Amino acid sequence: MAKKRRGAGRRPPPEAPEVRRTRGPSTLGIHGLGREREPGDPVVLPIVQSATFLSDPVRGEAGVRYTRYGNNPTQIAVAEKLAALEGTEAAIVLASGMAATALTFLALTSAGDHVVASRLLYGWTHRFLAEELPLRGVGVTFVDPGGKRQWREALQARTRALFFEVPTNPTLRVFDPHSLSMLAREHGIALVVDSTFASPVNLRPVGRGADAVIHSASKYLGGHSDLIAGVVCGSRGLVDEIQTKLKLYGPAIDPHAAWVLDRGLKTLAVRVARQNENALTLAGWFEEQPGVKQVIYPGLPSHPDHHLARKILSGYGGVLSIVLEGGDAAADGFCESLQVALNAPSLGGVETLVSQPRLTSHTTFTSAERSAMGIPSGFVRIAVGTEDVEDLIADFEMALNAARAA
Ligand SMILES: *Cc1c(COP(=O)(O)O)cnc(C)c1O
């Protein structure tokens, strides 16, 4: 695959013309762009549980279908649906969100290249960028994602990608792809966004100038906490390069898992709408409760990115965070007494999951470092599910009483 070195180390951006979304997210999640159907065809996408496929006896590798290649019919059908949902030319479905992230950067860079990334990232993504890419000769500079100036100042002659997450974990900061898209275009750099927390229901980054969108499909896209999967949506050119990395490194999604993802997508829009609604209701409710020092949710006017969130998001998302007055002891008491919400990492499923970043995603930081990152003592992240909000309120009210007693 000869592609990397072109001209004076600058390669053109992997053009991601936005493909207009001709149907709404509910319809796309169910039907995709639609296929030719005949009487007798199954209504539901078949699981093609086959590793290999018959090939033309006299044609070479070009036409070969093999499930590790990501061209199994079930894998392809789900990828096409996701491309339609994100409004991109193409997409590729992989075995996890980390596979999607890792292969994207392996496809975009080679030794001597450079990436600029937001400091506010999922922990394993941060480790991949900080530890793995340098082993492959790729330099990474981390910046505070808020201002365009930091990004511009971090650029190097061989910067290939700008990367950030939106909204971020667990302080739910919102950044606009549009604010960096000119910079990326000017310099021929790919703008890559991990939009896991937003889902294509709340934000379509390509519509705001991003070139590639990564999701951990283990979260909202799958939606039932029963699947590990990932996806990258972007131009055909980029997706082809990622597919080559897939063939080499091998994190293909099993056809059955791809089918589970397809099934999840059918209810994505209704689930996310309900999660948006439940989270907004809970955020407002928590703000009025004694013992709650702070509520962090982009839907609240008190959030630093509320104005931007109003402008670019269709919904504020299903995750909110609270800070309890009694500190970590209160947070422990709160979490221990929950009866409906479950203590578990992850997000995006129908069940409400609660976690304390000091014990999960941010264990490697000191409490002073966490405070500086906006995660003070008493911080609890709540990934809201689709339960009846009255039941969640009753559960959290009981837990707050327990926290105050702790
Ligand atoms: C969970 C997550 C990932 C990793 O996804 P896996 O499917 O667990 O590999 C990447 N980015 C974000 C923002 C996540 O929340």
Side-chain angles (χ1 to χ4, degrees):
M1 212 178 64
K3 56 177 181 63
K4 284 286 143 60
R5 303 282 74 81
R6 237 181 266 159
R10 157 104 58 103
R11 57 200 278 263
E15 286 299 323
E18 192 199 356
V19 178
R20 243 187 62 238
R21 193 153 84 172
T22 50
R23 295 173 158 186
S26 299
T27 309
L28 286 173
I30 297 164
H31 299 288
L33 292 171
R35 271 167 295 143
E36 291 274 314
R37 304 288 199 109
E38 283 177 25
D41 281 355
V43 165
V44 173
L45 177 71
I47 310 175
V48 182
Q49 196 74 47
S50 188
T52 188
F53 296 81
L54 303 183
S55 53
D56 187 320
V58 295
R59 240 180 122 206
E61 174 77 6
V64 167
R65 249 186 215 278
Y66 186 59
T67 294
R68 195 189 78 250
Y69 294 2
N71 60 8
N72 170 299
T74 311
Q75 295 167 333
I76 286 181
V78 186
E80 283 174 353
K81 197 183 259 191
L82 283 158
L85 276 164
E86 282 293 357
T88 58
E89 211 175 17
I92 187 163
V93 192
L94 298 156
S96 68
M98 279 314 296
T101 305
L103 294 198
T104 298
F105 287 104
L106 292 174
L108 285 169
T109 61
S110 51
D113 286 345
H114 175 251
V115 169
V116 186
S118 161
R119 253 185 244 293
L120 305 178
L121 295 177
Y122 177 67
W124 291 102
T125 301
H126 187 273
R127 268 189 80 172
F128 177 81
L129 295 171
E131 296 174 21
E132 285 295 308
L133 280 188
L135 291 179
R136 280 150 188 79
V138 177
V140 180
T141 305
F142 292 97
V143 297
D144 291 320
K148 217 196 302 200
R149 193 175 51 84
Q150 293 92 301
W151 292 88
R152 187 181 290 279
E153 284 172 3
L155 294 188
Q156 299 180 5
R158 288 182 59 178
T159 303
R160 302 293 179 213
L162 309 181
F163 177 65
F164 67 93
E165 288 178 8
V166 61
T168 64
N169 179 42
T171 54
L172 308 164
R173 298 298 311 271
V174 177
F175 304 106
D176 188 359
H178 185 69
S179 71
L180 292 181
S181 62
M182 277 303 289
L183 184 66
R185 205 121 302 162
E186 251 171 61
H187 295 265
I189 300 171
L191 178 57
V192 183
V193 175
D194 180 331
S195 189
T196 298
F197 272 56
S199 90
V201 178
N202 289 339
L203 178 70
R204 275 188 314 136
V206 169
R208 299 200 63 79
D211 295 297
V213 183
I214 296 172
H215 286 280
S216 166
S218 321
K219 316 293 168 55
Y220 289 101
L221 302 182
H224 295 75
S225 309
D226 55 5
L227 171 73
I228 296 293
V231 62
V232 189
C233 302
S235 66
R236 170 53 59 197
L238 176 66
V239 166
D240 285 349
E241 290 183 17
I242 293 171
Q243 188 181 11
T244 300
K245 298 298 176 193
L246 167 63
K247 290 174 178 175
L248 288 165
Y249 288 81
I253 188 168
D254 183 81
H256 181 263
W259 182 88
V260 172
L261 172 54
D262 182 70
R263 182 215 260 253
L265 291 177
K266 295 179 191 186
T267 53
L268 173 69
V270 286
R271 281 186 284 103
V272 171
R274 170 71 162 231
Q275 284 162 315
N276 288 339
E277 195 185 300
N278 277 359
L280 186 59
T281 303
L282 284 167
W285 178 82
F286 271 118
E287 272 201 320
E288 286 167 8
Q289 303 311 304
V292 179
K293 200 196 276 180
Q294 194 189 351
V295 183
I296 301 159
Y297 187 63
L300 296 176
S302 58
H303 191 279
D305 303 317
H306 178 61
H307 277 290
L308 179 61
R310 267 183 75 155
K311 186 171 139 200
I312 72 170
L313 300 181
S314 319
Y316 298 114
V319 182
L320 67 120
S321 296
I322 57 173
V323 181
L324 298 178
E325 259 156 23
D328 292 339
D332 288 346
F334 177 86
C335 292
E336 275 170 352
S337 48
L338 293 166
Q339 304 274 314
V340 177
L342 306 171
N343 283 279
S346 199
L347 62 139
V350 291
E351 47 286 281
T352 296
L353 302 182
V354 171
S355 60
Q356 299 190 58
R358 83 173 204 278
L359 306 175
T360 56
S361 52
H362 290 71
T363 42
T364 58
F365 300 96
T366 65
S367 71
E369 284 169 335
R370 279 194 299 268
S371 282
M373 299 164 94
I375 311 169
S377 173
F379 193 105
V380 179
R381 185 186 84 173
I382 303 172
V384 180
T386 59
E387 297 94 337
D388 296 293
V389 75
E390 300 77 20
D391 293 329
L392 293 174
I393 286 175
D395 197 34
F396 289 134
E397 183 157 42
M398 193 250 325
L400 283 176
N401 289 334
R404 279 189 295 268

